[in-house]
């Protein structure tokens, strides 16, 4: 067993393409797999490898003056949790659908440490709204108790959700959270610059850092992640329901029909009954019409 590393930093990277080449070289030399997005506004990555090679990667990054203080989050895992190594340059490191020149992480809400969050929730003020900035696939298996869950499929739909529901946040304190904190940097900025809320907060290090310190705290269920592990268990609560029979369950599966490939929660008996597909329709396609199947999971499960 090795480590899966999760990290991001909003810092100006003047030449993303050149930086990406350097990252590719390091990761290849260390046999790391995963995904690193690089933009002028910063870096967003998740990498898996042996403990030794991950430690080496961290050491190399910390030698770089821009990343000496990088917050590396760790979980048990390995390179096998990822289908391949993918290092790409983008316009932004998370896709909020708003130009980074118009809205930067500098406009973001106040960072609260996990301890500060826990204390705040223990004495939850009446005007506090806890807001999940992730998508529905993620919040279906784990969330903070009493959190508002936006019905969004992609992060880029978040601004529209805020615009349509702006009254909900008027004169309120808003505490935002996401997996590791990166999305809240800009999501909280989006609400913050509207100037309608009393206060906008974001959790430093997201669910990951909070759950590390308070595994049995206000976050219940699983923390969804974007690799083959799909979700890491925080505590024993099961928040999800089987997409077929509705029983309490929280393991995701991908429909075996490659043309469908639906990512959904499916209990053991439904999985058996539908032979790993999402419906009788898909089952028929796979087993009677011999549609192409994709038994190897990994392609669909990428953050968008
Ligand atoms: Zn079921
Ligand atoms: Zn299907």
């Amino acid at each position: 067993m090795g480590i899966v590393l999760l990290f991001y930093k909003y810092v100006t990277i003047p030449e993303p393409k050149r930086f990406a080449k350097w990252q590719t070289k390091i990761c290849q030399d260390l046999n790391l797999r995963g995904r690193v997005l690089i933009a002028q506004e910063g870096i967003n990555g998740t990498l898996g490898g042996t403990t030794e090679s991950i430690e080496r990667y961290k050491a190399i990054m910390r030698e770089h003056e821009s990343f000496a203080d990088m917050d590396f989050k760790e979980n048990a895992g390995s390179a096998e949790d990822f289908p391949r190594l993918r290092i790409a340059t983008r316009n932004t490191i998370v896709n909020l659908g708003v130009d980074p020149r118009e809205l930067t992480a500098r406009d973001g809400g106040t960072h609260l440490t996990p301890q500060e969050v826990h204390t705040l929730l223990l004495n939850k003020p009446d005007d506090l709204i806890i807001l999940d900035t992730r998508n529905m696939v993620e919040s279906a298996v784990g969330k903070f108790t009493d959190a508002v869950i936006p019905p969004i499929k992609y992060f880029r739909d978040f601004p529209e959700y805020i615009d349509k529901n702006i009254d909900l946040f008027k004169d309120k304190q808003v505490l935002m959270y996401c997996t590791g904190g990166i999305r809240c940097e800009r999501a909280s900025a989006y609400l913050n610059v509207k100037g309608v809320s009393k206060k906008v907060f974001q959790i430093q290090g997201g669910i990951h850092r909070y759950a590390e310190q308070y595994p049995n705290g206000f976050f219940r269920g699983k923390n969804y992640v974007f690799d083959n592990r799909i979700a890491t268990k925080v505590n024993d609560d099961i928040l999800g329901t089987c997409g077929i029979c509705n029983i309490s369950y929280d393991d995701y599966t991908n429909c075996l029909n490659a043309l469908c490939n639906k990512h959904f929660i499916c209990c053991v008996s439904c999985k058996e009954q539908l032979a790993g597909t999402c419906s009788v329709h898909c089952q028929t396609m796979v087993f009677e019409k011999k549609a192409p199947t994709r038994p190897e999971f990994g392609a669909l499960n990428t953050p968008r």
Side-chain angles (χ1 to χ4, degrees):
M1 206 41 135
I3 294 170
V4 168
L5 206 58
L6 186 70
F7 57 94
Y8 75 85
K9 191 175 176 189
Y10 283 95
V11 60
T12 304
I13 296 176
E15 294 178 82
K17 287 253 187 301
R18 227 183 94 196
F19 189 84
K21 271 191 189 154
W22 178 62
Q23 283 290 306
T24 306
K25 172 91 176 67
I26 302 170
C27 293
Q28 282 174 345
D29 287 351
L30 294 170
N31 285 317
L32 304 180
R33 279 198 222 162
R35 189 187 114 268
V36 181
L37 295 182
I38 296 152
Q40 280 199 329
E41 66 170 359
I43 184 168
N44 170 16
T46 176
L47 291 167
T50 62
T51 305
E52 212 172 34
S53 55
I54 289 290
E55 288 305 328
R56 186 76 201 114
Y57 177 83
K58 281 159 62 182
I60 294 170
M61 287 300 276
R62 281 180 174 146
E63 280 165 22
H64 192 297
E65 56 175 349
S66 294
F67 305 102
D69 61 348
M70 185 112 97
D71 179 28
F72 288 107
K73 303 171 187 84
E74 296 180 13
N75 260 320
S78 71
E80 310 307 311
D81 289 321
F82 302 89
R84 68 188 80 82
L85 174 68
R86 192 162 65 91
I87 296 188
T89 55
R90 293 272 189 280
N91 196 24
T92 54
I93 50 174
V94 286
N95 187 13
L96 182 65
V98 179
D99 195 313
R101 285 168 302 188
E102 285 167 28
L103 184 78
T104 73
R106 281 191 296 278
D107 299 316
T110 308
H111 290 91
L112 296 185
T113 63
Q115 295 95 314
E116 288 168 333
V117 168
H118 198 70
T119 306
L120 181 69
L121 296 180
L122 279 172
N123 307 286
K124 191 168 170 263
D126 289 340
D127 62 353
L128 181 73
I129 292 187
I130 309 167
L131 178 62
D132 201 317
T133 63
R134 303 169 303 155
N135 65 52
M136 286 181 298
V137 166
E138 300 168 84
S139 52
V141 293
K143 67 182 186 75
F144 273 88
T145 304
D146 297 332
V148 170
I149 306 297
I152 56 173
K153 221 173 154 183
Y154 305 112
F155 185 55
R156 60 172 185 266
D157 300 330
F158 187 80
E160 192 189 336
Y161 165 81
I162 291 289
D163 291 347
K164 282 188 175 159
N165 297 278
I166 194 75
D167 286 345
L168 190 61
F169 307 105
K170 255 185 198 140
D171 302 319
K172 294 286 197 309
Q173 304 188 63
V174 183
L175 171 65
M176 294 192 189
Y177 68 90
C178 61
T179 316
I182 186 170
R183 281 178 280 185
C184 286
E185 300 275 3
R186 287 184 81 231
S188 67
Y190 190 81
L191 180 61
N192 214 9
V193 299
K194 302 255 173 201
V196 300
S197 299
K198 223 187 249 176
K199 194 83 201 164
V200 179
F201 299 111
Q202 53 180 322
I203 304 182
Q204 181 111 45
I207 296 163
H208 184 104
R209 287 288 184 225
Y210 177 82
E212 230 169 32
Q213 291 191 40
Y214 302 98
N216 216 8
F218 292 98
F219 183 87
R220 307 307 305 176
K222 285 178 170 174
N223 187 14
Y224 192 96
V225 293
F226 293 92
D227 57 60
N228 291 350
R229 296 170 305 160
I230 305 181
T232 60
K233 194 172 177 155
V234 174
N235 45 58
D236 288 336
D237 285 15
I238 294 175
L239 275 66
T241 49
C242 173
I244 310 291
C245 74
N246 267 322
I247 67 154
S248 182
Y249 201 74
D250 66 357
D251 277 347
Y252 275 98
T253 193
N254 275 39
C255 177
L256 200 60
N257 175 8
L259 298 173
C260 170
N261 202 25
K262 183 179 172 184
H263 186 56
F264 69 114
I265 299 171
C266 190
C267 77
V268 177
S269 72
C270 288
K271 203 169 177 176
E272 205 177 282
Q273 223 157 54
L274 292 166
T277 66
C278 76
S279 58
V280 173
H281 172 76
C282 281
Q283 191 176 9
T284 311
M285 280 189 69
V286 170
F287 295 95
E288 285 173 26
K289 292 179 187 157
K290 304 249 183 291
T293 59
R294 183 180 355 200
E296 240 179 90
F297 171 72
L300 181 80
N301 184 26
T302 55
R304 279 168 291 185

